[in-house]
């Protein structure tokens, strides 16, 4: 990693995890396989910031640690990349096991339980799905009707005022690091 840490992908440990590595990696990983409108790829880091914001809107009284979990929901992708769901399924259970091991190490590193409570995980997934709807409509060329069919129609109050911005990776990386630091300070 750029931090100088050596991360064993098959046996990751919390001491090998640095948020700066996560933010940097995620800022350069493109969602939608890069097939989005704009001058910059829509990064997993930008997506993670949006998911955390949506989660906070959906669960305004949730503990800060669950907001942090929402921000870090795709953190393993800083080293394993972002694969679309059909590819993940084709790779098989090995991908999921690797993702779970990395997630556990990341969670422990930042004071979260290795495995999230099911209810929290479901709420983060719901925010993730709403984010996918916004992304589909605003930057991936889907009509609202197509996005509704794939992701379900989101509650208009949850997405009110949210506009996806495609920004340089450095800006997104800095914002991800800043949001992470803010959430850690509040825990």
């Amino acid at each position: 990693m750029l931090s100088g840490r050596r991360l064993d992908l098959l046996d990751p440990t919390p001491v090998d995890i640095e948020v700066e590595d996560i933010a940097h990696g995620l800022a350069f990983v493109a969602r939608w396989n890069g097939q989005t409108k704009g001058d910059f790829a829509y990064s997993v880091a930008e997506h993670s910031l949006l998911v955390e914001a949506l989660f906070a809107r959906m669960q305004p009284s949730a503990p800060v640690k669950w907001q942090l979990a929402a921000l870090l929901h795709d953190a393993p992708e800083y080293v394993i990349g972002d694969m679309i769901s059909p590819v993940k399924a084709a790779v098989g259970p090995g991908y999921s096991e690797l993702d779970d091991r990395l997630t556990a190490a990341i969670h422990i590193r930042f004071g979260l339980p290795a495995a999230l409570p099911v209810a929290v995980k479901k709420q983060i997934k719901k925010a993730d799905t709403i984010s996918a709807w916004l992304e589909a409509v605003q930057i991936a060329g889907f009509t609202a009707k197509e996005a509704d069919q794939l992701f379900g129609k989101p509650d208009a109050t949850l997405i009110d005022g949210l506009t996806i911005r495609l920004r340089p990776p450095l800006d997104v990386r800095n914002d991800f690091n800043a949001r992470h630091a803010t959430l850690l300070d509040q825990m």
Side-chain angles (χ1 to χ4, degrees), residues 126-171:
K126 183 175 179 183
D128 191 36
T129 302
I130 294 168
S131 176
W133 187 94
L134 281 166
E135 295 162 19
V137 171
Q138 291 185 16
I139 60 171
F142 289 63
T143 65
K145 183 178 178 180
E146 290 169 328
D148 290 349
Q149 290 172 337
L150 287 170
F151 306 109
K153 186 177 179 99
D155 179 341
T157 59
L158 285 176
I159 61 172
D160 184 47
L162 293 176
T163 302
I164 292 176
R165 301 176 296 152
L166 300 177
R167 304 182 295 148
L170 178 61
D171 294 348

Side-chain angles (χ1 to χ4, degrees), residues 27-31 34 36 38-43 46 165-167 169:
F28 285 93
V29 174
R31 281 191 44 91
T36 54
D39 293 332
F40 297 99
Y42 183 66
S43 73
E46 192 79 69
R165 301 176 296 152
L166 300 177
R167 304 182 295 148

